Amino acid sequence: MHLGLKKRLALEAHRLYRHNEIKAHPLTYFFWECTLRCNLHCQHCGSDCVADAIPDMPREDFMKVLDGLAPHIDPRNFAVVITGGEPLMRADLEECGREIKMRGYPWGMVTNGLALTPERFTNLMNAGLRSLTISLDGLEENHNLFRGNAHSFERAVRAIHMAASVDELTFDVMTCVNKKNLGELPRIHNLLVNLGVKRWRVSNVFPKGRAKDNPLFMLTNDEFRQTFEFIREAKKQGMINVNYDCEGFLGNYEKIVRDQPFFCWAGVNIASVLCDGSISACPSLRGDYIQGNIYKDDLWDVWQNRYQVMRDRSWARIGECRKCKYWRYCEGSSLHLRDEKTKELAYCHVKRLENAGV
C-alpha cells in the first residue's frame, strides 16, 4: 500500500491535530454504562451482557459524578451517552435523562431498539434525549439471527423510523458487518434511505467477547476489503452519509470511507463510567484499561492525572507495530484491538488490506 503525497500531507496535518488534542485532553464525550442487563443475546456482544447481570448502577451515584465534573466542564462542549447492556431495561431511564438535562448536559443513548415503543420514545424526548444510535445488522432473517430474537428486526425498523422523523435528534444507525450480511449492504443502504436515515456507521466486529471464536465474523481479507469498497461507492452516491466506524488505521482508505482520519479518542476526549463504577474510556475497553473507580476516586482527578496508557502510545510500538511504516499515523491502532495479555496488536486493518492486494 502506497500513500500519495496528498494523502500524507492530510495525515501529517491530522497527526499535529491529534497530538494537540492529547496534550489538552478536553473531556467532551462521557459514556455511562448504566446496566449490563439486556433483552437480547447477540452473537457479537463484547461485554457478554445477560438478562440478569450485576445490579444496575443507582442513578444517584452517576449524578454525583456529574456534579463533581460541573466546575470543570462546559456543557456546550460536553455530551453524556447512556449505554449498556440495553439502557431501555432501566425503568427509571426517563428520570435519569431528566436529571442529566436538569444539570444542563445534552444526552443520548445507544440501543437495539427492541423496547423503544412510540410512547417510550416520546417520554425520552421529553426527558431531554438529543442523540440516538440504533443497531441494524442485516435484513430481517440475518438481523434476527444475529440478535437472537424473531421480533428484533421489525422493532429496530420501527425505532429507526421514529428517530429519523425527528429533526432535532442527532441520529445514526450502526451496522456490524459479518459473512451473512456483507452481500446485503446495498439493500440495507436502500432501506435506510427509504426510512429517511441521514447518517450510517458501518463497522467490522472485533474479536472479543462472544465474537472471539465465532466464524460468522471471521471475514476473509477480500471480504474485509469489500466492506470498504461498498462504503466508497455509497459515499459517491451521496444518498446517505455513510462512514466506517472509528477503529483502525486504514491507509489509503482514510478520508475515503470516513470523513475524518483515524484517531483513537479513548482517554483523550472520551471517558466512561462502567456499571460497577470503574472509570475507563471508550466502553469497548474493559478491565485491562481501568483507571480507577468512582466509589473511591474523584473522576476529574483521574481524568487529569491518569490515562497515560492512552495518551502516550509509545509502549504500543511492539510486535508488528515496532517497524511499521505507518506508525506515525496509526500509533498502535485502536486500544481494544490489542491482545489483553501481550498488548501486541491482534487485529491490524492495514495488514489485512495489504494481504487483500490493496
Side-chain angles (χ1 to χ4, degrees):
M1 184 183 294
H2 173 72
L3 299 178
L5 178 60
K6 185 177 180 180
K7 182 79 67 177
R8 286 187 180 276
L9 289 174
L11 291 173
E12 285 292 342
H14 194 262
R15 179 176 182 271
L16 178 61
Y17 163 74
R18 183 172 69 243
H19 285 194
N20 286 337
E21 285 292 293
I22 290 171
K23 184 177 181 180
H25 54 267
L27 178 56
T28 59
Y29 216 67
F30 193 31
F31 283 98
W32 177 29
E33 185 183 70
C34 70
T35 182
L36 279 177
R37 293 181 297 137
C38 191
N39 49 12
L40 293 176
H41 190 80
C42 304
Q43 296 189 38
H44 73 304
C45 185
S47 54
D48 201 26
C49 301
V50 294
D52 297 305
I54 66 173
D56 297 349
M57 177 181 287
R59 68 173 182 269
E60 295 82 3
D61 296 353
F62 182 71
M63 300 309 154
K64 288 179 182 177
V65 175
L66 287 182
D67 291 340
L69 289 175
H72 313 286
I73 295 297
D74 181 353
R76 295 171 298 179
N77 299 310
F78 184 77
V80 176
V81 179
I82 301 177
T83 184
E86 170 51 52
L88 292 169
M89 294 289 284
R90 287 189 69 123
D92 68 342
L93 183 60
E94 289 85 344
E95 184 58 35
C96 295
R98 279 190 289 270
E99 293 208 22
I100 296 170
K101 179 184 178 182
M102 181 182 69
R103 287 163 170 80
Y105 303 119
W107 69 275
M109 71 172 182
V110 180
T111 178
N112 59 43
L114 186 70
L116 193 59
T117 63
E119 179 183 7
R120 192 140 201 218
F121 180 65
T122 299
N123 291 339
L124 289 167
M125 289 296 298
N126 291 336
L129 179 69
R130 289 299 174 265
S131 68
L132 184 64
T133 294
I134 298 174
S135 297
L136 186 74
D137 296 304
L139 299 179
E140 186 165 11
E141 181 179 352
N142 284 329
H143 178 85
N144 290 344
L145 174 68
F146 194 46
R147 296 279 167 175
N149 185 291
H151 302 289
S152 181
F153 178 81
E154 64 181 83
R155 302 283 179 82
V157 169
R158 179 182 68 179
I160 290 167
H161 178 69
M162 290 189 294
S165 302
V166 180
D167 291 336
E168 61 266 31
L169 188 65
T170 300
F171 166 62
D172 67 355
V173 171
M174 177 74 175
T175 297
C176 293
V177 178
N178 59 70
K179 283 182 173 293
K180 285 186 174 292
N181 69 12
L182 177 60
E184 293 182 339
L185 290 178
R187 286 180 289 164
I188 298 171
H189 171 276
N190 293 340
L191 171 64
L192 296 180
V193 169
N194 289 335
L195 287 169
V197 175
K198 295 180 174 62
R199 302 176 189 88
W200 183 23
R201 277 185 295 148
V202 175
S203 183
N204 299 104
V205 180
F206 57 91
K208 286 192 176 182
R210 296 178 195 152
K212 187 173 183 180
D213 299 310
N214 190 329
L216 181 65
F217 307 114
M218 297 178 184
L219 299 182
T220 66
N221 292 332
D222 188 61
E223 289 170 334
F224 193 64
R225 178 192 60 80
Q226 288 177 42
T227 302
F228 302 109
E229 285 301 311
F230 165 77
I231 298 173
R232 183 208 294 265
E233 292 305 311
K235 275 188 166 295
K236 287 180 180 178
Q237 293 179 32
M239 301 174 70
I240 188 171
N241 184 16
V242 56
N243 282 279
Y244 188 68
D245 201 21
C246 60
E247 74 171 31
F249 178 69
L250 304 176
N252 272 325
Y253 280 114
E254 294 292 344
K255 293 287 286 180
I256 292 177
V257 299
R258 54 186 171 208
D259 294 340
Q260 299 298 327
F262 168 72
F263 186 172
C264 182
W265 297 87
V268 178
N269 301 122
I270 296 174
S272 66
V273 170
L274 303 184
C275 196
D276 63 355
S278 295
I279 299 170
S280 187
C282 170
S284 294
L285 302 179
R286 307 308 295 181
D288 45 339
Y289 291 100
I290 297 301
Q291 300 298 300
N293 192 289
I294 64 168
Y295 295 111
K296 62 182 181 67
D297 299 304
D298 176 75
L299 192 139
W300 185 250
D301 179 69
V302 171
W303 179 254
Q304 290 295 89
N305 298 300
R306 303 187 193 178
Y307 288 92
Q308 287 85 355
V309 68
M310 304 177 200
R311 296 170 186 166
D312 179 0
R313 301 290 182 87
S314 57
W315 62 267
R317 200 164 190 174
I318 57 176
E320 293 183 349
C321 292
R322 187 167 61 89
K323 296 183 179 180
C324 180
K325 60 184 178 181
Y326 303 111
W327 170 265
R328 185 174 183 85
Y329 309 123
C330 176
E331 295 191 357
S333 193
S334 306
L335 291 178
H336 68 267
L337 299 179
R338 305 194 77 86
D339 186 270
E340 294 182 7
K341 294 181 180 179
T342 68
K343 296 303 180 185
E344 292 188 16
L345 189 60
Y347 193 87
C348 177
H349 286 56
V350 169
K351 181 180 178 181
R352 296 202 65 187
L353 290 169
E354 287 184 332
N355 288 339
V358 176

